[in-house]
Amino acid sequence: MSEEIERIKCLIIGSGPAGYTAAIYAARANMSPVLYQGTQPGGQLTTTNEVENFPGYPEGVTGPEMMMELQKQAERFETDVRNGWVTKVDFSGDTHKVWVNETKEIHCDTVIISTGASAKYLGLDSEQKYLKLGGGVSACAVCDGFFYKNQEVVIVGAGDSACEEAHYLSKLCTKVTMLVRRDEFRASKIMAARVKNTENIEILYNTETDEVLGDGQVVTGVRVFNNKTNERHEIPATGFFVAIGHKPNTDIFKGFLDLDETGYIINVPGTSKTNIEGVFVSGDAADHVYRQAVTAAGTGCMAALDAERYLAAKDATFDVSTSTYN
Ligand SMILES: Cc1cc2nc3c(=O)[nH]c(=O)nc-3n(C[C@H](O)[C@H](O)[C@H](O)COP(=O)(O)OP(=O)(O)OC[C@H]3O[C@@H](n4cnc5c(N)ncnc54)[C@H](O)[C@@H]3O)c2cc1C
């Protein structure tokens, strides 16, 4: 049986840098935010040991530590942080309806979506092993490239993002080997040309990953195979970068919000507004370009401010005599 319907002013879905920053701003604006953490409390950064590019941490910080601090800061201003997974929404009427864990129904004046986007991996056991160990597998060149300065790395992928990441790595690493599954890039001609014209990037076409090699702690190389000839060989490398795309966690919003072809929520440019009034988006769920903690936090701030202004404008048009909004 479903519980009693709860009514709240500001619901935040997600507990990454975007969600907690939105919570800090919303709480300090007296919006009494309720934040649902989802199955990954703290978001993606909890899977990394070293964050060196978030401002305010001159010595760097571990991802889990940083996210605990963000949570504490949100709770200091009385954000109601809850465990729970949003399983369904209905944004078709004036009231925004949200269901948590399939049973609890909440009616919200404003909703801030901060559900992030998950990096795709190849799924090899050896890849997952060194990813979990923090031993040399990464899905983010901008985040982790610096740790491989003057070293040799391998990157998998053939799209625009893969080309961009390979090019970024080429400025830090002595050699970048790029594995392309087909006999051509999926990327635009201009991006592919940039990679092809970079001296320290070697491109191996028709080549796939057989195994990520390591010493049990860190990556030492990659065994690859040519999918035409089935020949295998090993490439020495200390880093293995996977750049085969991201999946935005936005399936539950399909049919209500405008999404692009990959599933990123489309926001009104320069704002956090979506196509539904009172529903805002922040962080990686709408960002296929930057995908950084600091940009997620920045857009979390924008979403809370946009939500606060939306409520203030609504209050200004509220007609007390008829109890309706004009
Ligand atoms: C291994 C790794 C290392 C990284 N290193 C860095 C770095 O050094 N520096 C940097 O700036 N960036 C780094 N990034 C990128 C950074 O983590 C992301 O850009 C950032 O976390 C995005 O923040 P977000 O709040 O949008 O989403 P996320 O951090 O992805 O958080 C999404 C949240 O939404 C919740 N959620 C999803 N769906 C639901 C639902 N239906 N109901 C309730 N909750 C839901 C999840 O539980 C999670 O809490 C790294 C990423 C990875 C994967």
Side-chain angles (χ1 to χ4, degrees), residues 13-19 36-45 47-48 50-54 84-87 114-117 119 121 131 138-140 143-144 249 252 282-285 291-296:
I13 311 175
S15 55
Y36 276 95
Q37 292 182 309
T39 51
Q40 193 178 39
Q44 288 175 67
L45 277 187
T47 64
T48 187
E50 287 180 278
V51 181
E52 292 199 328
N53 54 9
F54 198 86
W85 180 253
V86 173
T87 44
S114 314
T115 49
Y121 290 94
L131 174 69
S138 170
C140 179
C143 312
D144 296 327
N249 304 316
I252 50 171
S282 59
D284 287 10
R291 288 193 296 247
Q292 291 296 292
V294 70
T295 46

Side-chain angles (χ1 to χ4, degrees), residues 138-182:
S138 170
C140 179
V142 175
C143 312
D144 296 327
F146 187 78
F147 301 121
Y148 301 91
K149 207 169 176 184
N150 299 324
Q151 299 172 42
E152 297 189 7
V153 300
V154 170
I155 182 167
V156 182
D160 276 346
S161 296
C163 290
E164 196 151 308
E165 301 225 335
H167 195 251
Y168 182 89
L169 289 169
S170 72
K171 295 195 202 133
L172 297 162
C173 305
T174 47
K175 185 176 174 198
V176 178
T177 306
M178 194 168 187
L179 310 183
V180 176
R181 196 163 45 150
R182 296 188 299 161

